[in-house]
Amino acid sequence: MKKILLGSVALIALGSAANAADLSARYTKAPVVAPVSNWTGFYVSGGFGYGIMEADQHATAGGVASVVDTRMGGRGYFGTVGIGYDYQITPSWVVGVFGDAQWGDIRGNLMDLSRDTTARLKNDAAYAAGARLGYLVAPNVLSYVNVGYSYASFKGTTFDDGSSIGKSHRDGWFIGGGVENDLNFFGINAPGWFMKTEYRVAEYNRKNSLYNDGSGDGIAFKPYVQTVSTSLVYRFNSQVRPGAQAGTPFYTKAARSPAYNWTGFYLAGGGGYGMFSADQRSVDVPTGAITGIDTRNGGRGYFGTIAGGYDWQINPTWVVGVFGDAQFGDIRGSLSDAGLGVTGRLKNDTNYAAGVRVGYLIAPNALSYVNGGYSHADFKGVTLTDSTGLPVGSTGKSHRDGWFIGGGVENDLNFFGINAPGWFMKTEYRVAEYSRKTSALYDAAGTLTTDGIAFKPYVQTVQTSLVYRFNWGSPVVAKY
């Protein structure tokens, strides 16, 4: 499973650092004729991403739910292509429409507790059309939100008892956001080329997929898919106005003047949304022998977060830092075992992390960064039921150690003409991989059994926080 997070390293690195604009001399805007960008026009894009899927599902008999709901999970990679048109309605605001497609291998599970059987579920394609609204945090940096229609395709699958269901489709909607900026990086100018990194979550409708055996039984499932992607963008008319040729710098060298100082302590607080996918199997606790096949369960929910850290601006364009944070919330899914015929709610209620980050100033007031480090997760105890919903056992509270990697963008709150010195906003994506451990099962009377369920969670989150920097009022002087 290491290759999943190694791939995420490349994804976040490309999206959060390699797409930055070169401000190697810490330029400030010239006081008079500073060129501004033109975001109006058509564009095409192509890239790749990583996603986690969670599917609320239950077995049906004659179209009627026959067992309790479970939440199954999945994860995987995809490629993406897109096309769109943006219109810059004011010097600060951009609106646009777009369409895109994803093809890949976000793979998870379906489970039928009434038949004690499971199968792989694969989301192989998704298509979307929508609109976006963006704000230029710098002339070359667009921060945006988007929303629209989404369509997902799921391949047919065969269960381990030999029964099968056919290919199915789901209609739904998505909401997301991201950051896009030009590729003027390390002094290399690439007129018309941009890079964007985008988070998106899609909710699809519930449908009943019938077994192909003519029994009238089926599996009804409602998927949620959360993705992060990085794409290379080509804009057909990205010339710089007024009257400048494509590639003219977005900033001109002004007279010597104070520049922002990112060195110092900060505190942050906010909230976010996350999903998890947990690889799990049943085991015999005394021997450690595997007694069932691997399945992927899932979950989703909201959380609050607090953080503190210290950054050091090592040169005019690069920032490094250390930080610690905590998440408290309700990312709730399922712990299920088809062989034992049991299911129960699995809740990730707290996460703690400590790590480092490296950032690049895509504008004097905007930091694009990657981060990584240690993470700890707590999961509450689970009450297990059979396929009719009757309690049959439980597990205790469990803990997992692991590591995370992520990235984001932080910028000042000089917004709508309102200046708030020292106050910033950051939005961050993160994926964490935790260790596999076995949770022993207790029967309905509370007696410890020899059965256990071993699970290995992956948690993917996006969060937005308000940040206060204690020394923002003490600028440094730009050097030329």
Side-chain angles (χ1 to χ4, degrees):
M1 301 304 171
K2 299 296 183 184
K3 64 180 181 180
I4 290 174
L5 293 189
L6 290 175
S8 298
V9 175
L11 171 64
I12 300 301
L14 284 173
S16 299
N19 59 350
D22 181 26
L23 296 176
S24 59
R26 293 294 304 283
Y27 300 153
T28 57
K29 284 186 180 179
V32 187
V33 187
V36 295
S37 57
N38 172 24
W39 287 79
T40 297
F42 288 96
Y43 64 87
V44 293
S45 63
F48 65 99
Y50 176 73
I52 281 184
M53 169 178 62
E54 187 268 0
D56 293 358
Q57 59 119 101
H58 56 249
T60 64
V64 179
S66 61
V67 297
V68 295
D69 267 3
T70 58
R71 289 183 173 176
M72 305 308 294
R75 65 182 189 277
Y77 292 99
F78 59 88
T80 180
V81 295
I83 187 171
Y85 181 86
D86 285 332
Y87 180 67
Q88 187 166 352
I89 55 177
T90 73
S92 298
W93 291 95
V94 175
V95 296
V97 293
F98 65 92
D100 57 40
Q102 298 175 357
W103 296 280
D105 188 15
I106 300 179
R107 186 171 300 200
N109 279 93
L110 289 174
M111 183 179 292
D112 189 335
L113 291 177
S114 64
R115 298 189 178 201
D116 293 337
T117 186
T118 186
R120 283 297 192 196
L121 175 67
K122 180 179 176 181
N123 175 209
D124 58 346
Y127 307 92
R132 71 174 182 174
L133 173 66
Y135 183 83
L136 290 166
V137 296
N140 62 324
V141 183
L142 180 71
S143 178
Y144 65 88
V145 294
N146 56 15
V147 66
Y149 165 80
S150 188
Y151 171 91
S153 171
F154 296 86
K155 294 194 72 172
T157 186
T158 299
F159 287 77
D160 54 21
D161 66 354
S163 57
S164 62
I165 61 173
K167 187 170 185 176
S168 63
H169 312 276
R170 299 291 188 277
D171 296 302
W173 63 283
F174 73 88
I175 189 168
V179 175
E180 181 177 339
N181 55 268
D182 71 320
L183 281 181
N184 186 5
F185 188 56
F186 292 130
I188 301 173
N189 199 345
W193 290 98
F194 288 68
M195 188 74 78
K196 70 174 179 179
T197 296
E198 178 178 310
Y199 164 86
R200 189 180 294 180
V201 60
E203 175 184 346
Y204 297 100
N205 59 357
R206 184 191 292 270
K207 284 186 179 180
N208 189 23
S209 296
L210 296 178
Y211 290 111
N212 295 331
D213 59 10
S215 64
D217 297 339
I219 294 282
F221 64 96
K222 178 182 177 65
Y224 298 78
V225 182
Q226 179 176 256
T227 59
V228 64
S229 62
T230 292
S231 296
L232 195 62
V233 182
Y234 183 76
R235 294 185 162 273
F236 291 98
N237 70 330
S238 60
Q239 300 96 321
V240 179
R241 296 186 203 170
Q245 294 181 351
T248 302
F250 285 103
Y251 294 88
T252 56
K253 185 181 287 189
R256 190 182 300 250
S257 61
Y260 293 111
N261 176 19
W262 286 79
T263 298
F265 290 98
Y266 64 86
L267 294 175
Y273 179 75
M275 287 189 184
F276 73 77
S277 175
D279 292 359
Q280 59 126 97
R281 60 172 71 120
S282 55
V283 299
D284 181 72
V285 176
T287 65
I290 299 171
T291 58
I293 62 173
D294 276 357
T295 58
R296 287 181 177 173
N297 286 55
R300 68 181 190 278
Y302 296 92
F303 60 87
T305 180
I306 56 174
Y310 184 87
D311 284 333
W312 181 42
Q313 187 166 350
I314 57 176
N315 64 36
T317 53
W318 289 96
V319 176
V320 298
V322 295
F323 67 91
D325 58 40
Q327 297 175 355
F328 309 93
D330 188 14
I331 303 179
R332 187 171 299 199
S334 291
L335 188 66
S336 304
D337 190 288
L340 298 173
V342 297
T343 186
R345 285 300 191 201
L346 177 66
K347 180 180 177 181
N348 175 211
D349 55 350
T350 53
N351 296 292
Y352 307 95
V356 298
R357 72 173 181 174
V358 178
Y360 189 88
L361 289 167
I362 55 179
N365 62 328
L367 180 71
S368 178
Y369 64 89
V370 296
N371 57 15
Y374 165 80
S375 188
H376 173 90
D378 293 328
F379 294 85
K380 296 194 73 172
V382 177
T383 298
L384 297 168
T385 67
D386 61 17
S387 61
T388 66
L390 293 176
V392 294
S394 63
T395 69
K397 186 171 183 176
S398 62
H399 315 277
R400 299 291 187 278
D401 295 304
W403 61 288
F404 74 90
I405 189 165
V409 174
E410 181 177 338
N411 56 269
D412 69 336
L413 281 182
N414 188 0
F415 196 58
F416 292 125
I418 300 173
N419 196 351
W423 289 98
F424 286 68
M425 187 74 76
K426 69 174 179 178
T427 297
E428 177 179 312
Y429 164 86
R430 189 179 294 180
V431 61
E433 175 186 350
Y434 296 101
S435 57
R436 185 191 295 272
K437 287 186 179 180
T438 298
S439 294
L441 302 187
Y442 297 82
D443 63 20
T447 303
L448 184 65
T449 72
T450 60
D451 294 321
I453 298 180
F455 67 96
K456 178 182 178 64
Y458 298 78
V459 182
Q460 179 177 256
T461 59
V462 64
Q463 62 187 36
T464 295
S465 298
L466 195 62
V467 181
Y468 183 75
R469 294 185 163 274
F470 289 97
N471 71 330
W472 195 249
S474 57
V476 296
V477 177
K479 297 179 181 180
Y480 302 99

